């Protein structure tokens, strides 16, 4: 019943920008912290960004800090990842993930902490 669906991936040249989104269904969106992870072929899944239930707190991976922004639209049950100054090493499949949480729970950055996952959207950055 719970479903996360990513969209907005594509091809962009280095230095460019791209915004991807994830829409949740089958859940009470406000009960879930949301995160973005990415995985390139042959590499481990990497934490990108996460946001608390109401959007008041955000956490970013070191490799994207200052370039990527996560935000959520509660009315649209959607979480966004806005990516700026993209680099070829940002190329990966980007996955949306959700985690049920209490308001006081700290944002987690490990994949095993998340309950639900989307199928991913490909982001390719050319040089």
């Amino acid at each position: 019943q719970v479903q996360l669906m990513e969209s907005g991936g594509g091809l962009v040249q280095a230095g460019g920008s791209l915004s991807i989104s994830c829409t949740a269904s089958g859940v009470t969106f406000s009960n879930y912290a949301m995160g973005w992870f990415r995985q390139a072929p042959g590499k481990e899944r990497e934490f990108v960004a996460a946001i608390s239930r109401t959007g008041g707190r955000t956490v970013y991976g070191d490799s994207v800090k200052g370039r990527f922004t996560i935000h959520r639209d509660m009315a649209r049950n959607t979480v966004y990842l806005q990516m700026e100054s993209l680099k070829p090493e940002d190329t990966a499949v980007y996955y949306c993930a959700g985690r049920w949480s209490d308001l006081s729970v700290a944002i987690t950055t490990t994949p095993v902490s998340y309950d639900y996952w989307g199928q991913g959207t490909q982001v390719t950055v050319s040089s």
Side-chain angles (χ1 to χ4, degrees):
Q1 187 174 32
V2 177
Q3 185 173 332
L4 303 178
M5 184 172 66
E6 301 96 336
S7 62
L11 176 66
V12 62
Q13 62 183 346
S17 62
L18 192 67
S19 181
I20 57 176
S21 63
C22 170
T23 299
S25 61
V27 298
T28 301
F29 189 57
S30 61
N31 287 340
Y32 287 80
M34 302 297 296
W36 286 99
F37 295 78
R38 66 187 184 186
Q39 189 167 23
K43 297 184 178 180
E44 298 296 317
R45 189 161 295 191
E46 177 188 18
F47 172 74
V48 175
I51 189 166
S52 61
R53 286 175 56 180
T54 59
R57 292 174 290 148
T58 57
V59 177
Y60 296 92
D62 289 340
S63 63
V64 306
K65 195 173 299 181
R67 298 188 298 120
F68 291 10
T69 303
I70 186 171
H71 59 104
R72 63 194 297 167
D73 185 331
M74 306 305 291
R76 296 185 176 185
N77 287 0
T78 300
V79 61
Y80 302 86
L81 184 69
Q82 187 169 348
M83 301 176 284
E84 309 286 346
S85 301
L86 283 161
K87 305 174 181 179
E89 52 262 44
D90 294 319
T91 296
V93 176
Y94 283 70
Y95 295 93
C96 170
R99 177 179 183 268
W100 188 95
S101 64
D102 293 318
L103 290 172
S104 61
V105 173
I107 296 175
T108 60
T109 61
T110 57
V112 295
S113 297
Y114 287 80
D115 303 309
Y116 304 104
W117 293 83
Q119 292 183 307
T121 186
Q122 177 71 45
V123 173
T124 302
V125 184
S126 64
S127 59

